[in-house]
Amino acid sequence: MFSKSCEYAVRATIFIATHCGSDGKVGLKEIANEIDSPVAFTAKILQVLVKNNIVKSSKGVGGGFMVLKDDLKRIKLSDIVMAIDGDSVFLRCGLGLSNCSEEHPCPVHEKFKFVKRDLIFMLETTSLEELTLGFKKGETFLKY
Protein backbone atom coordinates (compact mmCIF):
# COMPACT_ATOMS: atom_id res chain seq x y z
CA MET A 1 0.00 0.00 0.00
CA PHE A 2 2.80 2.43 0.92
CA SER A 3 6.17 2.56 -0.80
CA LYS A 4 9.24 1.35 1.08
CA SER A 5 10.38 4.98 1.25
CA CYS A 6 7.13 5.96 2.90
CA GLU A 7 7.34 3.13 5.43
CA TYR A 8 10.86 4.25 6.39
CA ALA A 9 9.75 7.89 6.52
CA VAL A 10 6.97 7.10 8.99
CA ARG A 11 9.31 5.03 11.13
CA ALA A 12 12.05 7.69 11.05
CA THR A 13 9.63 10.48 11.93
CA ILE A 14 8.24 8.52 14.88
CA PHE A 15 11.76 7.77 16.14
CA ILE A 16 12.85 11.39 15.82
CA ALA A 17 9.67 12.60 17.50
CA THR A 18 10.26 10.40 20.54
CA HIS A 19 13.32 12.52 21.28
CA CYS A 20 11.32 15.75 21.67
CA GLY A 21 12.01 17.25 25.04
CA SER A 22 15.30 15.47 25.76
CA ASP A 23 18.29 16.79 23.82
CA GLY A 24 15.87 16.87 20.91
CA LYS A 25 18.25 16.01 18.07
CA VAL A 26 19.03 12.63 16.59
CA GLY A 27 21.85 11.85 14.17
CA LEU A 28 21.42 10.25 10.77
CA LYS A 29 23.27 7.03 11.63
CA GLU A 30 21.26 6.53 14.81
CA ILE A 31 18.00 6.99 12.89
CA ALA A 32 19.06 4.59 10.12
CA ASN A 33 20.11 2.01 12.68
CA GLU A 34 16.92 2.34 14.70
CA ILE A 35 14.63 1.89 11.67
CA ASP A 36 16.89 -0.72 10.04
CA SER A 37 17.42 1.32 6.87
CA PRO A 38 20.55 2.05 4.81
CA VAL A 39 22.13 5.38 5.80
CA ALA A 40 22.14 6.88 2.29
CA PHE A 41 18.50 5.90 1.71
CA THR A 42 17.54 7.35 5.10
CA ALA A 43 19.35 10.59 4.28
CA LYS A 44 17.32 11.04 1.08
CA ILE A 45 14.07 10.39 2.92
CA LEU A 46 14.98 12.86 5.66
CA GLN A 47 15.76 15.54 3.04
CA VAL A 48 12.20 15.20 1.74
CA LEU A 49 10.77 15.33 5.27
CA VAL A 50 12.75 18.50 6.01
CA LYS A 51 11.66 20.09 2.73
CA ASN A 52 8.03 19.35 3.65
CA ASN A 53 8.38 20.85 7.14
CA ILE A 54 7.77 17.54 8.93
CA VAL A 55 11.17 17.33 10.60
CA LYS A 56 13.75 20.03 11.22
CA SER A 57 17.48 19.70 10.80
CA SER A 58 20.57 21.47 12.01
CA LYS A 59 24.11 21.03 10.72
CA GLY A 60 27.45 20.92 12.43
CA VAL A 61 28.61 19.65 15.80
CA GLY A 62 25.57 18.78 17.89
CA GLY A 63 23.38 18.88 14.81
CA GLY A 64 20.81 16.35 13.77
CA PHE A 65 17.14 15.92 13.11
CA MET A 66 14.28 16.93 15.37
CA VAL A 67 10.54 17.38 15.58
CA LEU A 68 9.41 20.37 17.59
CA LYS A 69 7.18 19.51 20.52
CA ASP A 70 4.56 21.97 19.26
CA ASP A 71 4.38 20.03 15.97
CA LEU A 72 3.51 16.64 17.48
CA LYS A 73 -0.24 17.28 17.36
CA ARG A 74 -0.11 19.20 14.06
CA ILE A 75 1.69 16.56 12.01
CA LYS A 76 -0.67 13.86 10.80
CA LEU A 77 0.25 10.53 9.28
CA SER A 78 -1.25 11.84 6.03
CA ASP A 79 1.38 14.62 5.97
CA ILE A 80 4.19 12.08 5.93
CA VAL A 81 2.47 9.89 3.32
CA MET A 82 1.78 12.89 1.05
CA ALA A 83 5.38 14.13 1.36
CA ILE A 84 6.82 10.80 0.24
CA ASP A 85 4.19 9.03 -1.88
CA GLY A 86 1.99 11.92 -2.95
CA ASP A 87 -1.76 11.44 -3.24
CA SER A 88 -1.66 8.04 -4.97
CA VAL A 89 -2.78 6.18 -1.85
CA PHE A 90 -5.88 8.38 -1.77
CA LEU A 91 -6.70 7.93 -5.47
CA ARG A 92 -5.37 4.53 -6.48
CA CYS A 93 -7.61 1.74 -7.72
CA GLY A 94 -7.64 -1.39 -5.55
CA LEU A 95 -6.42 -3.42 -8.53
CA GLY A 96 -4.04 -0.77 -9.82
CA LEU A 97 -6.07 0.07 -12.91
CA SER A 98 -5.51 3.55 -14.32
CA ASN A 99 -9.08 4.14 -15.52
CA CYS A 100 -11.12 2.78 -12.61
CA SER A 101 -14.02 5.08 -11.68
CA GLU A 102 -17.67 5.09 -10.63
CA GLU A 103 -18.62 5.02 -14.32
CA HIS A 104 -16.05 2.35 -15.26
CA PRO A 105 -15.39 0.33 -12.04
CA CYS A 106 -12.98 -2.54 -11.54
CA PRO A 107 -14.32 -5.75 -9.92
CA VAL A 108 -13.36 -4.61 -6.38
CA HIS A 109 -14.29 -0.93 -6.79
CA GLU A 110 -17.45 -0.93 -4.66
CA LYS A 111 -15.84 -2.75 -1.73
CA PHE A 112 -12.47 -1.03 -1.99
CA LYS A 113 -13.90 2.49 -1.83
CA PHE A 114 -14.93 1.79 1.78
CA VAL A 115 -11.47 0.49 2.64
CA LYS A 116 -9.95 3.59 1.03
CA ARG A 117 -12.35 5.88 2.91
CA ASP A 118 -11.36 4.29 6.24
CA LEU A 119 -7.67 4.47 5.35
CA ILE A 120 -7.93 8.16 4.48
CA PHE A 121 -9.76 8.84 7.75
CA MET A 122 -7.05 7.03 9.72
CA LEU A 123 -4.24 8.87 7.93
CA GLU A 124 -5.86 12.30 8.37
CA THR A 125 -6.78 11.85 12.04
CA THR A 126 -3.70 10.07 13.42
CA SER A 127 -1.23 12.54 14.88
CA LEU A 128 2.49 12.04 15.28
CA GLU A 129 1.97 12.48 19.00
CA GLU A 130 -0.38 9.49 19.04
CA LEU A 131 2.12 7.36 17.11
CA THR A 132 4.93 8.08 19.56
CA LEU A 133 3.03 7.06 22.69
CA GLY A 134 3.17 3.29 22.17
CA PHE A 135 6.81 3.44 21.10
CA LYS A 136 7.83 5.43 24.18
CA LYS A 137 6.06 2.89 26.40
CA GLY A 138 7.78 -0.02 24.64
CA GLU A 139 4.45 -1.34 23.35
CA THR A 140 5.21 -0.75 19.65
CA PHE A 141 8.38 -1.21 17.60
CA LEU A 142 10.06 0.33 14.58
CA LYS A 143 12.09 -2.60 13.32
CA TYR A 144 11.58 -6.32 13.08
Side-chain angles (χ1 to χ4, degrees), residues 11 29 36 47-48 58 91 121-122 125 132:
R11 289 161 49 190
K29 289 181 183 176
D36 203 22
Q47 286 176 343
V48 175
S58 62
L91 305 174
F121 178 79
M122 184 272 298
T125 61
T132 63

Side-chain angles (χ1 to χ4, degrees), residues 22 54 97 100:
S22 57
I54 293 167
L97 302 177
C100 181

Side-chain angles (χ1 to χ4, degrees):
M1 182 164 300
F2 302 119
S3 70
K4 199 62 155 169
S5 297
C6 188
E7 292 171 3
Y8 284 130
V10 171
R11 289 161 49 190
T13 306
I14 292 169
F15 180 70
I16 296 165
T18 61
H19 289 78
C20 275
S22 57
D23 67 359
K25 296 176 191 155
V26 188
L28 172 61
K29 289 181 183 176
E30 184 180 359
I31 297 165
N33 181 59
E34 187 61 35
I35 66 170
D36 203 22
S37 170
V39 174
F41 189 50
T42 305
K44 289 179 183 179
I45 292 166
L46 292 171
Q47 286 176 343
V48 175
L49 294 173
V50 169
K51 180 181 171 196
N52 283 275
N53 201 29
I54 293 167
V55 300
K56 309 285 185 216
S57 68
S58 62
K59 296 179 181 180
V61 177
F65 296 89
M66 68 201 105
V67 173
L68 302 178
K69 191 171 185 171
D70 292 345
D71 288 342
L72 289 175
K73 288 183 181 171
R74 175 190 63 82
I75 297 169
K76 303 296 185 212
L77 191 50
S78 60
D79 297 323
I80 302 167
V81 172
M82 284 292 291
I84 303 296
D85 283 352
D87 62 0
S88 65
V89 72
F90 303 100
L91 305 174
R92 188 176 313 156
C93 163
L95 295 180
L97 302 177
S98 59
N99 293 322
C100 181
S101 67
E102 289 293 322
E103 298 78 33
H104 188 71
C106 74
V108 299
H109 183 82
E110 283 305 309
K111 292 192 182 267
F112 192 70
K113 70 180 177 183
F114 297 109
V115 172
K116 194 166 27 173
R117 180 199 63 206
D118 291 346
L119 174 64
I120 292 168
F121 178 79
M122 184 272 298
L123 292 172
E124 291 178 345
T125 61
T126 303
S127 70
L128 184 54
E129 179 180 56
E130 183 180 341
L131 295 171
T132 63
L133 295 177
F135 183 73
K136 285 180 180 179
K137 292 178 182 177
E139 297 170 347
T140 60
F141 304 92
L142 295 175
K143 63 181 176 181
Y144 342 104

